[in-house]
Amino acid sequence: MASTNDLKNGLVLNLDGELWAVVEFQHVKPGKGGAFVRTTLKNVLSGKVVDKTFNAGTKVETATVDKRTMQYLYADGEDYVFMDLETFDQITVPGGTVGEAANYLLPEAEATVATHEGVPLYIELPTSVVLEVTYTEPGLQGDRSTGGNKPATVETGATVQVPLFITTGEKIKVDTRDGRYLGRS
């Protein structure tokens, strides 16, 4: 248990049996009445964001979220298998938990896996990864870097919009948060 005065960004709370991460908080002391804490909370599992207000000093239940650096090993049907780099224990993460991150996950890549009581909550990838282009239409003579974009399929199977001068076999840097092309590697 913690007080609302102890809230900080990133802290995970257990409210009504659900896990909520504190995105933003603000202590408010109006001229009249008691102080309160205005928070923005994000549901760890669904990603839903809500605003919630607590009276100052109210006790809230905190959840223990264990974040560990793990190595992605392989896909097992719909699930993904990761290995803890310290204990070498293997953990299976459901495909729904991995979500869009699967588009940028290569075997032996490192990722941060967050768990609560042994249940995987989400994974965090590095902000950018280097992937090889496996297929893209050939560029035409006169294509310039400012000339527009074309779709390219990378080695994970994801499609990324790249400049016209990129060819099959090149390694490119991709932003894992929104799938943007960042440059050649």
Side-chain angles (χ1 to χ4, degrees):
M1 293 293 260
S3 165
T4 53
N5 299 328
D6 303 328
L7 292 181
K8 52 185 187 262
N9 292 346
L11 184 68
V12 178
L13 306 176
N14 188 351
L15 301 173
D16 304 323
E18 292 190 43
L19 298 179
W20 298 86
V22 177
V23 176
E24 194 178 339
F25 71 98
Q26 180 182 21
H27 289 274
V28 180
K29 175 85 174 90
K32 207 173 173 180
F36 58 92
V37 180
R38 190 178 292 136
T39 62
T40 302
L41 304 173
K42 180 177 182 181
N43 189 305
V44 173
L45 297 174
S46 69
K48 179 181 173 185
V49 177
V50 297
D51 292 325
K52 190 160 176 66
T53 303
F54 298 98
N55 288 331
T58 305
K59 297 283 186 202
V60 289
E61 188 178 342
T62 58
T64 317
V65 175
D66 185 24
K67 290 184 178 181
R68 295 179 165 263
T69 301
M70 296 193 176
Q71 185 180 48
Y72 169 60
L73 297 177
Y74 58 90
D76 183 17
E78 294 289 314
D79 299 334
Y80 296 84
V81 179
F82 288 83
M83 179 181 68
D84 189 321
L85 293 174
E86 293 174 18
T87 63
F88 303 109
D89 291 338
Q90 291 187 8
I91 182 174
T92 302
V93 180
T97 303
V98 174
E100 292 293 313
N103 292 334
Y104 312 107
L105 211 49
L106 287 173
E108 299 182 16
E110 289 188 8
T112 302
V113 179
T115 57
H116 173 65
E117 297 176 352
V119 178
L121 300 175
Y122 59 90
I123 70 165
E124 293 174 355
L125 294 177
T127 53
S128 65
V129 292
V130 175
L131 300 170
E132 184 178 333
V133 175
T134 55
Y135 177 77
T136 185
E137 295 291 330
L140 301 172
Q141 180 64 32
D143 286 344
R144 301 289 177 262
S145 61
T146 58
N149 290 333
K150 63 181 179 179
T153 305
V154 293
E155 57 191 308
T156 59
T159 302
V160 178
Q161 292 293 323
V162 298
L164 297 169
F165 58 82
I166 297 294
T167 59
T168 300
E170 283 191 67
K171 291 202 179 275
I172 60 171
K173 191 180 259 190
V174 179
D175 189 325
T176 58
R177 296 166 296 193
D178 56 12
R180 280 184 305 123
Y181 165 83
L182 295 175
R184 285 179 167 154
S185 164

